[in-house]
Amino acid sequence: MSELPETENHTQKSKKLPQFVAVLLATIASFSIGTYLSWTSPALPLYNKNGTLFISDQEGSWICALLPAGAIVGTVPAGILADKFGRKKTICILSVLLLTCWLPISFAQTVNWIYLGRFVAGVSSGAVSVVIPIYASEIADDSIRGALGTIFQLQITIGILYAYISGLIGDVIGMSMFCAAIPALLLMVCPLLPESPVWLIREGRKEEAHYAIRKLRGQYYRTDDELNKLENNLTSQGDRVTFLDLIQYKKALIITLGLMVFQQLSGVNTLIFYAEKIFKTAGSSLSSTISSVIVGIVQVIATYFSTILIDRTGRKFLLFVSASVMSICMFTLSGYFHFQNEHDVSKFAWIPLLSFAVFIIIFSVGFGPIPWLMVGELFTNNAKSTASSITAITNWTLAFFVTKCFQDMVDIMGISSSFATFGMISLFGTLFVTTMVPETKGKTIEEVQIELYGFVQEPPSVGPKTQT
């Protein structure tokens, strides 16, 4: 292939903006996940308030929980589909599913239609949570890999805020159509996404990989070195790793699964799904809808700053601080609701909002984005799809149980003891981060592999495919 000569105008320096644009467009899918996650908070109270459809507490818990339940199913084939059809085409297919799921939710005459829409939306969300982190890690320069990786979580938080704001509409159909505009936008911008050069090289489509890299790095970027590096890495790393093969990545698997466990068992999804109900129970002077919007705004701002902090302060430090402060916030909420049963705490009704906001801030700069990012930093390219699938399965399975069981926990233990349980789990999370998690900031995948195992993992390989 022809290359432009290197002159004053034709530099080898990689441009960062095209990579940010590509990830921002792709993570509109994550934005859509956020709207599905938090839609229940403003929507469920409206059904009974407006008399359109009565939703019991148990039915409401199922409406919340069926999203992560569907996501468990969606994570299983996502990596395989992304490897077969490509990252770009898979994202486009998922955008169609994310859009159409709002129809049964919007116009449901019975709760079963809401169940169906939420479950299928969960399938799509689970697949997105596998494909998007893979795509972001494969198109990113090492120097901005951390920042690009956090955009996935940033877009989720923006989606959460967007759905909270939709509650101001005061109508379930209007809210749902408002949220449906996001996957519709994704469907329109999908053709603009460049395909992953890593996937193209694996498929033997080197010429297309050359143009994809140019689109991501700049018109005058010389692609030879990067193409050769990708080919050498894929040749040495071999074919796609199966679930059974992941045992040889034991340390990386323990770390990523552990981070997902502590992320979900921190109780974050219970706060997001039941935000309005929690604020109403707490007796806040602000309306529950406004309180939810305030928390959503805080979460977006905090997650944005995490994109700056993550490549400056390091992953391990942010995870440690995040788990520590989340534990304090949950114990504070527990204490508030404990004393609420015995004393007049109306003068301190601001405490739940403050604790909620601080929890969301610190989650958003640490345990929100970093566990997803670590999947791309601890595994070699041929293992990322499989590793992303199994970690996403773990994540969504835990999200399902925590979301579904929260109402049962409150019924059995009380809301104070429920929050105390989440606080203890985050406390154990600080110990896990201290003893198990390595620092990966600024390191290549090969350097991380050497730090974990003393060598780069090299399963049996046949190399990348040849183009026919």
Side-chain angles (χ1 to χ4, degrees):
M1 77 183 59
S2 61
E3 291 286 343
L4 292 170
E6 185 179 357
T7 68
E8 291 182 350
N9 296 323
H10 297 157
T11 176
Q12 290 186 2
K13 188 176 180 181
S14 171
K15 291 185 177 181
K16 306 298 188 295
L17 181 60
Q19 298 170 60
F20 276 100
V21 171
V23 172
L24 282 170
L25 293 179
T27 52
I28 295 175
S30 312
F31 190 127
S32 189
I33 292 179
T35 62
Y36 278 112
L37 284 172
S38 60
W39 172 86
T40 55
S41 178
L44 291 182
L46 285 177
Y47 281 106
N48 296 343
K49 180 180 179 181
N50 297 340
T52 53
L53 183 64
F54 179 78
I55 304 291
S56 69
D57 285 344
Q58 281 300 318
E59 287 173 335
S61 70
W62 275 111
I63 289 172
C64 293
L66 280 171
L67 185 82
I72 299 168
V73 177
T75 56
V76 177
I80 298 171
L81 292 174
D83 282 346
K84 181 174 179 61
F85 298 110
R87 287 41 168 154
K88 176 179 177 176
K89 187 175 291 186
T90 303
I91 293 170
C92 293
I93 294 169
L94 292 174
S95 69
V96 176
L97 289 175
L98 289 169
L99 174 59
T100 55
C101 286
W102 282 113
L103 295 176
I105 294 173
S106 301
F107 303 103
Q109 297 298 310
T110 67
V111 72
N112 290 333
W113 282 105
I114 304 177
Y115 288 162
L116 175 63
R118 294 283 293 175
F119 182 81
V120 178
V123 173
S124 307
S125 299
V128 166
S129 69
V130 173
V131 177
I132 297 298
I134 294 172
Y135 179 76
S137 68
E138 289 182 346
I139 70 171
D141 280 340
D142 289 338
S143 61
I144 58 170
R145 191 177 63 224
L148 289 183
T150 60
I151 293 176
F152 174 80
Q153 184 68 24
L154 174 62
Q155 290 278 53
I156 289 179
T157 62
I158 297 174
I160 289 170
L161 172 60
Y162 186 86
Y164 283 157
I165 292 173
S166 76
L168 299 174
I169 296 173
D171 174 73
V172 172
I173 294 177
M175 288 169 52
S176 301
M177 291 296 96
F178 188 64
C179 292
I182 303 306
L185 175 63
L186 174 61
L187 187 59
M188 288 189 288
V189 302
C190 264
L192 303 178
L193 292 176
E195 182 55 88
S196 160
V198 174
W199 182 79
L200 290 170
I201 288 291
R202 183 178 287 121
E203 295 298 300
R205 296 155 64 172
K206 187 173 181 179
E207 189 71 21
E208 293 176 60
H210 160 76
Y211 288 109
I213 292 173
R214 279 278 177 85
K215 192 172 183 179
L216 290 164
R217 307 286 189 262
Q219 183 179 358
Y220 301 123
Y221 180 78
R222 296 177 67 87
T223 63
D224 284 348
D225 289 344
E226 186 164 346
L227 285 170
N228 291 335
K229 182 180 179 181
L230 287 176
E231 285 186 310
N232 292 335
N233 285 345
L234 290 172
T235 300
S236 63
Q237 292 168 11
D239 289 334
R240 184 179 187 270
V241 168
T242 66
F243 283 99
L244 291 177
D245 291 332
L246 277 182
I247 192 64
Q248 60 192 317
Y249 296 85
K250 183 169 63 175
K251 288 184 180 179
L253 196 60
I254 291 172
I255 292 167
T256 52
L257 292 182
L259 290 176
M260 291 301 182
V261 167
F262 288 111
Q263 182 199 71
Q264 286 303 318
L265 296 189
S266 70
V268 62
N269 277 334
T270 64
L271 297 184
I272 292 171
F273 280 60
Y274 294 100
E276 291 206 16
K277 187 173 183 179
I278 291 169
F279 287 129
K280 186 175 180 180
T281 303
S284 174
S285 57
L286 292 173
S287 75
S288 55
T289 301
I290 296 299
S291 296
S292 298
V293 171
I294 291 172
V295 170
I297 292 171
V298 167
Q299 186 178 22
V300 170
I301 294 172
T303 308
Y304 169 75
F305 279 106
S306 75
T307 65
I308 300 171
L309 291 172
I310 200 163
D311 281 325
R312 295 186 180 182
T313 60
R315 285 62 158 153
K316 184 167 185 171
F317 175 76
L318 288 177
L319 285 170
F320 178 82
V321 172
S322 182
S324 302
V325 178
M326 286 192 303
S327 178
I328 293 171
C329 290
M330 280 297 184
F331 285 131
T332 302
L333 282 170
S334 174
Y336 176 87
F337 284 107
H338 173 75
F339 286 109
Q340 186 188 45
N341 295 328
E342 303 174 1
H343 305 280
D344 180 11
V345 293
S346 57
K347 292 182 179 180
F348 304 98
W350 51 268
I351 288 179
L353 177 58
L354 178 63
S355 299
F356 200 134
V358 172
F359 182 99
I360 292 298
I361 289 172
I362 207 66
F363 176 86
S364 300
V365 299
F367 260 90
I370 295 177
W372 297 106
L373 171 65
M374 293 296 279
V375 177
E377 299 201 326
L378 296 178
F379 293 93
T380 53
N381 284 327
N382 65 319
K384 284 179 184 177
S385 295
T386 307
S388 292
S389 293
I390 197 169
T391 50
I393 290 169
T394 302
N395 182 280
W396 286 108
T397 301
L398 291 167
F400 167 74
F401 282 111
V402 171
T403 305
K404 181 65 186 75
C405 294
F406 178 66
Q407 185 62 52
D408 297 323
M409 288 176 65
V410 172
D411 293 340
I412 296 170
M413 303 167 56
I415 194 168
S416 175
S417 296
S418 299
F419 284 135
T421 301
F422 293 136
M424 284 301 300
I425 292 170
S426 289
L427 195 59
F428 287 123
T430 62
L431 298 176
F432 178 82
V433 171
T434 302
T435 57
M436 296 295 297
V437 179
E439 181 54 69
T440 59
K441 183 185 75 169
K443 297 177 181 177
T444 65
I445 293 174
E446 291 77 15
E447 289 170 340
V448 172
Q449 291 286 303
I450 291 171
E451 181 176 345
L452 288 176
Y453 309 106
F455 58 90
V456 179
Q457 292 283 356
E458 295 184 1
S461 64
V462 294
K465 299 176 186 178
T466 56
Q467 190 170 13
T468 57

